[in-house]
């Protein structure tokens, strides 16, 4: 059978990190700690209650969940966001796709600064948008001085900035983000003969792991109506299996995204499970603090081994550099340790695991480097 597959998909492979059965899995930036028993019990209770009405469609506006997420953001970042300006979906991947469906599309440009999250290109491809990557500096920073000319040249409809960035772990400074937002005004595509502002999306999937003193982009939300800040429950909440992502943005942006959402896209079970996790956010944040401490300790250990380590505000570390990084990756895998071969040439990325897993990784890396 000959299928009418879109030409740009021919020969393409689906996205996905290796899924291998090994003793130490540190390749997909997961939270290494499962939810505590009290969190599991609360999720189970709420899911059971929601299941009694599975014959009915869920609340398509997920009002209670938006209120819970808004309260969480206020507690975590110190920024009060109205519940109506919060939007959720099945993982931040779906949030990103909805944003591009609303604001990108054919004959429009999606722009990012590379290296960054590899799925950005696929989001743009899936909505028929041009994709432009602007190289970061040797220290993985964005050349802020060039932003105005870059935006003027490309007229992006959407600018995607991961902060903390994946795979480097580095975060953008607030002053630099403000300059990018200033440069984005009036630099979007023309719509109906009118000049538009480029949508700037700050992807804070790893935002909770940022170091003390590193602010969230949420602090600029009230000043810039073209700013979107995305988050996820996959990382800090240790709920990657839940698939719950969300964003905070101006009311106009949220209402625009609501146009492209699928009917009842967020199931009653997902809403109930997310509310159960949110009800125990304090205990979950203790895990975040532990991971941050372990990250800094692991960074120091790698530096003592003579390796270069990118400053990380995430729950992973990018380190190097190696003449043959694949050989190091393979030697680790041969020892039952799986990390990620990703990022610029010569670099590798390791997720922060439990103290035991981190110790096994360091021991294995020393052996691999012999």
């Amino acid at each position: 059978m000959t299928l009418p597959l879109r030409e740009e998909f021919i020969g393409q492979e689906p996205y996905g990190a290796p899924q291998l059965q090994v003793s130490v899995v540190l390749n997909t930036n997961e939270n290494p700690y499962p939810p505590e028993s009290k969190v599991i019990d609360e999720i189970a209770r709420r899911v059971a209650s929601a299941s009694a009405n599975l014959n009915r469609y869920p609340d398509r506006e997920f009002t209670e969940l938006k209120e819970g997420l808004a309260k969480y953001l206020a507690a975590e970042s110190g920024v009060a966001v109205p519940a109506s300006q919060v939007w959720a979906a099945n993982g931040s991947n779906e949030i990103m796709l909805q944003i591009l469906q609303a604001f990108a599309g054919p004959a429009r440009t999606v722009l990012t600064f590379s290296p960054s999250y590899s799925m950005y290109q696929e989001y743009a491809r899936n909505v028929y948008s041009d994709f432009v990557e602007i190289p970061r500096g040797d220290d993985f920073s964005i050349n802020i001085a060039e932003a105005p000319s870059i935006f003027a040249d490309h007229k992006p409809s959407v600018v995607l900035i991961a902060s903390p960035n994946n795979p480097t772990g580095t975060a953008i400074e607030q002053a630099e983000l403000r300059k990018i937002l200033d440069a984005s005004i009036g630099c979007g595509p023309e719509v109906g003969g009118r000049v538009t502002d480029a949508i700037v999306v700050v992807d804070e999937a790893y935002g909770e792991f940022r170091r003390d003193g590193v602010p969230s982009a949420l602090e600029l939300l009230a000043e810039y109506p073209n700013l979107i800040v995305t988050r996820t429950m996959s990382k800090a909440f240790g709920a990657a299996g839940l698939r719950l992502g969300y964003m905070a943005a101006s009311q106009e942006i949220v209402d625009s995204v609501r146009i492209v959402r699928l009917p009842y896209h967020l199931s009653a079970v997902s809403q109930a499970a997310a509310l159960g996790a949110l009800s125990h956010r304090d205990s979950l944040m203790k895990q975040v603090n532990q991971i941050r401490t372990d990250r800094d300790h692991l960074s120091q250990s790698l530096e003592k081994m003579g390796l270069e380590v990118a400053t990380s505000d995430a729950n992973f570390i990018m380190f190097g550099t190696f003449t043959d990084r694949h050989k190091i990756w393979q030697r680790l895998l041969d020892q039952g340790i799986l990390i990620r071969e990703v990022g610029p040439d010569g670099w590798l990325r390791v997720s922060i695991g439990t103290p035991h897993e981190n110790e096994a990784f360091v021991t294995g890396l020393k052996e691999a480097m012999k």
Side-chain angles (χ1 to χ4, degrees), residues 17 31 63 98 109 159 169 180-181 194 206 228 233 314 335-336 338:
N31 186 321
T63 305
Q98 289 177 343
T109 297
V159 178
I180 286 178
L181 286 162
R194 298 176 58 187
Y206 305 95
I228 300 175
M233 296 185 74
Q335 300 175 69
L338 179 61

Side-chain angles (χ1 to χ4, degrees), residues 268-297:
V269 171
S270 294
Q271 294 180 43
L275 284 165
L278 283 168
S279 68
H280 289 279
R281 64 173 184 254
D282 292 339
S283 64
L284 291 167
M285 289 306 103
K286 290 181 182 178
Q287 293 181 353
V288 170
N289 290 332
Q290 179 65 51
I291 292 169
R292 291 170 64 192
T293 299
D294 291 343
R295 173 199 64 204
D296 295 342
H297 182 265

Side-chain angles (χ1 to χ4, degrees), residues 225-240:
N226 63 322
L227 170 63
I228 300 175
V229 181
T230 63
R231 290 285 187 98
T232 181
M233 296 185 74
S234 295
K235 311 302 181 181
F237 279 83

Side-chain angles (χ1 to χ4, degrees), residues 40-239:
I40 296 173
D41 292 343
E42 179 66 18
I43 290 174
R45 183 187 69 79
R46 288 178 180 260
V47 168
S49 177
S51 298
N53 295 301
L54 285 183
N55 59 310
R56 301 295 183 184
Y57 286 114
D59 174 10
R60 62 173 174 261
E61 300 299 329
F62 44 91
T63 305
E64 186 180 2
L65 177 56
K66 287 192 292 188
E67 292 172 351
L69 290 169
K71 290 178 180 177
Y72 166 72
L73 288 177
E76 193 278 330
S77 69
V79 179
V81 179
S84 64
Q85 292 180 222
V86 175
W87 183 253
N90 295 284
S92 55
N93 291 291
E94 187 177 33
I95 289 288
M96 291 290 186
L97 184 58
Q98 289 177 343
I99 292 169
L100 266 60
Q101 286 175 321
F103 298 107
R108 293 195 174 187
T109 297
V110 176
L111 185 146
T112 194
F113 299 90
S114 62
S116 196
Y117 185 34
S118 59
M119 274 298 296
Y120 291 163
Q121 183 172 6
E122 297 191 23
Y123 298 147
R125 177 202 65 189
N126 291 351
V127 298
Y128 302 93
S129 291
D130 295 329
F131 184 69
V132 173
E133 293 181 276
I134 304 300
R136 292 172 179 256
D138 292 339
D139 60 353
F140 310 122
S141 64
I142 297 171
N143 189 330
I144 303 301
E146 293 183 356
S149 61
I150 289 170
F151 292 170
D153 288 343
H154 295 284
K155 299 291 184 183
S157 58
V158 180
V159 178
L160 301 175
I161 301 174
S163 181
N165 186 38
N166 180 10
T168 65
T170 50
I172 187 171
E173 295 183 4
Q174 190 177 80
E176 294 180 337
L177 177 58
R178 187 184 293 276
K179 291 178 180 178
I180 286 178
L181 286 162
D182 289 338
S184 70
I185 304 301
C187 280
E190 284 193 8
V191 178
R194 298 176 58 187
V195 174
T196 65
D197 303 330
I199 299 293
V200 177
V201 182
V202 179
D203 181 355
E204 290 191 346
Y206 305 95
E208 286 92 340
F209 299 102
R210 64 191 186 277
R211 294 165 296 162
D212 292 339
V214 177
S216 167
L218 289 165
E219 294 186 7
L220 300 180
L221 203 60
E223 294 182 53
Y224 296 94
N226 63 322
L227 170 63
I228 300 175
V229 181
T230 63
R231 290 285 187 98
T232 181
M233 296 185 74
S234 295
K235 311 302 181 181
F237 279 83

Side-chain angles (χ1 to χ4, degrees), residues 270-327:
S270 294
Q271 294 180 43
L275 284 165
L278 283 168
S279 68
H280 289 279
R281 64 173 184 254
D282 292 339
S283 64
L284 291 167
M285 289 306 103
K286 290 181 182 178
Q287 293 181 353
V288 170
N289 290 332
Q290 179 65 51
I291 292 169
R292 291 170 64 192
T293 299
D294 291 343
R295 173 199 64 204
D296 295 342
H297 182 265
L298 181 56
S299 293
Q300 293 171 3
S301 296
L302 294 174
E303 288 173 348
K304 289 179 180 178
M305 293 169 61
L307 294 168
E308 187 174 354
V309 179
T311 301
S312 178
D313 281 288
N315 68 333
F316 57 85
I317 298 170
M318 195 174 75
F319 64 98
T321 59
F322 302 99
T323 303
D324 187 347
R325 68 174 178 180
H326 181 72
K327 181 182 293 186

